[in-house]
């Protein structure tokens, strides 16, 4: 599930917290505002077929506690595996069960750092492509010959290929770790 984060001035945050306290809390109010902004409560049409966006509030159904009895050595192995992934025992067990159920695979902190780096690099390359397109459009509108640095385009293409491979490897490591099929 995605997380939305943004900054507001301290005074606005204080006033919002006071308002939200009367409405059930900040999270409740923010979820309701997001639902209203995207029309989650109203029917939407996707490719001509009627559908409804899931409500943020509906997606956050209450969880149920499950208790397991394991031998001490099994718990010790789980703790060691969880610590190696930078997770708590409960997070590790929950992730394993969710992987078996087909729910998305969680990433470790290191994997998230790699993925963020890939995203930053792709954003940088996208900015370069936009600058090239803008310059080419300006030249074309001015009836000047459009000049493109083929070497730069080749470098960006190679960088995108490298990032795509790094992305596949990072996601594969995470998914492979949780692979429950033997």
């Amino acid at each position: 599930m995605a997380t939305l984060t943004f900054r507001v001035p301290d005074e606005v945050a204080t006033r919002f917290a006071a308002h939200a306290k009367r409405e059930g809390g900040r999270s409740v109010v923010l979820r309701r505002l997001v639902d209203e902004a995207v029309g989650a409560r109203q029917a939407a049409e996707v490719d001509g077929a009627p559908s409804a966006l899931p409500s943020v509030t509906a997606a956050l159904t209450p969880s149920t506690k499950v208790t397991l009895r394991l031998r001490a050595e099994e718990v010790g192995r789980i703790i060691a595996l969880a610590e190696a992934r930078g997770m708590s025992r409960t997070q590790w067990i929950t992730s394993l069960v969710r992987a078996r159920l087909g729910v998305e695979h969680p990433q470790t902190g290191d994997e998230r750092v790699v993925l963020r780096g890939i995203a930053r690099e792709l954003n940088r390359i996208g900015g370069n492509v936009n600058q090239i397109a803008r310059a080419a459009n300006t030249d074309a509108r001015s009836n000047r010959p459009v000049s493109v640095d083929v070497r730069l385009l080749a470098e960006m293409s190679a960088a995108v290929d490298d990032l795509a491979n790094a992305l596949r490897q990072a996601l594969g490591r995470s998914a492979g770790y949780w692979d429950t099929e033997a």
Side-chain angles (χ1 to χ4, degrees):
M1 188 170 292
T3 301
L4 300 176
T5 305
F6 61 97
R7 298 182 185 280
V8 296
D10 292 339
E11 181 183 331
V12 172
T14 302
R15 290 174 55 202
F16 178 73
H19 166 76
K21 190 174 184 178
R22 296 185 300 271
E23 302 288 325
R26 292 182 303 196
S27 292
V28 170
V29 173
L30 288 171
R31 286 184 189 110
R32 188 178 68 236
L33 290 171
V34 169
D35 279 344
E36 291 170 3
V38 299
R41 292 196 177 114
Q42 300 168 352
E45 264 198 35
V46 178
D47 295 331
S51 68
L53 293 171
S55 165
V56 175
T57 307
L60 296 171
T61 57
S63 61
T64 302
K65 182 178 180 177
V66 176
T67 304
L68 300 172
R69 290 197 181 275
L70 300 170
R71 292 186 294 255
E73 61 271 10
E74 292 168 332
V75 173
R77 288 179 58 198
I78 289 171
I79 290 170
L81 290 167
E83 287 175 353
R85 292 257 326 150
M87 303 172 107
S88 72
R89 172 179 74 181
T90 301
Q91 288 172 324
W92 190 90
I93 292 169
T94 301
S95 296
L96 181 63
V97 170
R98 286 181 174 156
R100 182 68 176 149
L101 296 173
V103 180
E104 68 184 54
H105 303 291
Q107 285 89 30
T108 65
D110 291 343
E111 290 165 339
R112 283 189 295 275
V113 168
V114 168
L115 294 173
R116 283 188 194 115
I118 291 169
R120 274 193 304 277
E121 195 63 22
L122 286 171
N123 282 334
R124 187 186 66 75
I125 291 169
N128 289 343
V129 170
N130 283 338
Q131 289 176 357
I132 291 169
R134 190 176 302 119
N137 285 334
T138 300
D139 287 349
R141 276 191 230 115
S142 302
N143 291 327
R144 291 184 294 212
V146 176
S147 62
V148 176
D149 186 345
V150 177
R151 183 188 52 79
L152 179 61
L153 288 176
E155 286 176 12
M156 285 192 296
S157 177
V160 168
D161 288 343
D162 291 345
L163 291 169
N165 287 331
L167 180 61
R168 276 191 290 279
Q169 289 173 2
L171 293 174
R173 279 191 302 273
S174 180
Y177 180 85
W178 297 109
D179 188 7
T180 57
E181 298 297 321

